[in-house]
Amino acid sequence: MRYVIVCVVKGEAGDFNNNLRKELLKNLNAKSSKMPAHFTIKAPFEHKGEIDELNDILEKFTKNAKAEPFSIAGYDHFDDRVVYMKVNMSKEAKAVHDKLIENMSTISYINFEEKDGKNKIFHVTLASKKLKFLYNKIWDYIQKYPCEFQCFFDNVTIYRWEEETWKLYKEFKFNS
């Protein structure tokens, strides 16, 4: 099975991202993820068999974790491949994230790379599929929308690839 682990961005920022992605698809045919607004904790990975060890670690971790703030401010991009909302993790949110990575790193089938480890570039994607010829139009289009939000790192959510889409497998909410 194929899984991905994310923090779903909720509230005003999540709604903004979800709606702007729909608008970009409708008006510019710019595609993006099939998941709701999120930042990635662990990029997609394959594992045959159950993920009980991962579930146990996330259950224990989130029971003791405290929701910590982060902000979203403006836009950025990875070359002409991905356009995203910039995430600025607070010192406290980054510490929770890094501790989570350490806990998950003990699992044999979880291997972090630079793009999804402790030093990743936190971002919430707006468009990411075949952008080369659409990039300038997308970049110009989003500039008319102010992008300033206060959010909380308050969940760890697993999605599983099923029937050609990402489906919610399990959400772990922070206890406090």
Side-chain angles (χ1 to χ4, degrees), residues 102-131:
E102 288 171 18
N103 278 255
M104 290 171 49
S105 293
T106 64
I107 301 169
S108 62
Y109 53 87
I110 303 281
N111 298 301
F112 289 96
E113 297 174 23
E114 188 176 337
K115 69 178 181 182
D116 64 357
K118 287 184 183 180
N119 297 315
K120 69 173 65 89
I121 297 172
F122 291 91
H123 64 282
V124 182
T125 300
L126 286 167
S128 62
K129 312 273 189 232
K130 300 178 185 169
L131 296 188

Side-chain angles (χ1 to χ4, degrees), residues 31-168:
K31 296 184 172 103
S32 185
S33 172
K34 296 181 179 187
M35 285 184 280
H38 69 277
F39 67 78
T40 302
I41 295 170
K42 172 65 188 108
F45 65 95
E46 300 281 341
H47 180 67
K48 291 180 171 112
E50 299 301 316
I51 58 169
D52 295 337
E53 185 181 5
L54 175 61
N55 287 326
D56 291 345
I57 283 175
L58 295 180
E59 186 79 43
K60 287 177 191 153
F61 183 86
T62 54
K63 263 188 187 149
N64 297 312
K66 178 178 176 254
E68 296 292 356
F70 67 90
S71 64
I72 294 176
Y75 305 103
D76 206 342
H77 56 93
F78 298 124
D79 304 318
D80 58 3
R81 299 174 294 110
V82 178
V83 175
Y84 60 86
M85 296 162 49
K86 289 195 295 190
V87 171
N88 302 307
M89 296 294 272
S90 68
K91 186 175 60 182
E92 297 82 4
K94 177 78 165 80
V96 170
H97 171 269
D98 290 356
K99 188 71 175 161
L100 174 62
I101 298 296
E102 288 171 18
N103 278 255
M104 290 171 49
S105 293
T106 64
I107 301 169
S108 62
Y109 53 87
I110 303 281
N111 298 301
F112 289 96
E113 297 174 23
E114 188 176 337
K115 69 178 181 182
D116 64 357
K118 287 184 183 180
N119 297 315
K120 69 173 65 89
I121 297 172
F122 291 91
H123 64 282
V124 182
T125 300
L126 286 167
S128 62
K129 312 273 189 232
K130 300 178 185 169
L131 296 188
K132 194 168 187 72
F133 300 107
L134 289 175
Y135 170 77
N136 289 327
K137 287 181 182 176
I138 294 166
W139 189 254
D140 291 343
Y141 189 94
I142 63 175
Q143 297 309 314
K144 63 185 172 185
Y145 296 105
C147 180
E148 298 280 333
F149 301 98
Q150 297 302 314
C151 308
F152 281 94
F153 180 18
D154 61 1
N155 71 87
V156 178
T157 304
I158 304 173
Y159 282 86
R160 184 165 56 193
W161 186 254
E162 298 177 44
E163 300 169 3
E164 301 303 310
T165 194
W166 289 110
K167 293 193 175 178
L168 177 64

